[in-house]
Amino acid sequence: MTEQHKQQIRIYLRPSALAKAAERSGITGLNLSEAIEQIINGADNASNPDNRQ
């Protein structure tokens, strides 16, 4: 199991972003925080020139 380092932050999401995160959470079974991390990491990967095809 991967070790997790937790840190608490407060973020404000637009309703559409919150809906997207909630939808991803429901589909994947992750909690909302993990779903948001997954979305952010996906955006980071998409903007990385090494990952473009």
Side-chain angles (χ1 to χ4, degrees), residues 2-39:
T2 351
E3 185 178 335
Q4 293 185 358
H5 299 280
K6 295 182 179 186
Q7 191 172 49
Q8 190 174 32
I9 64 167
R10 181 178 298 201
I11 59 172
Y12 297 94
L13 299 175
R14 292 186 175 114
S16 60
L18 182 57
K20 182 176 182 177
E23 180 182 358
R24 173 80 57 99
S25 176
I27 291 170
T28 61
L30 299 171
N31 66 41
L32 193 55
S33 294
E34 292 170 326
I36 291 170
E37 285 181 29
Q38 192 178 64
I39 292 167

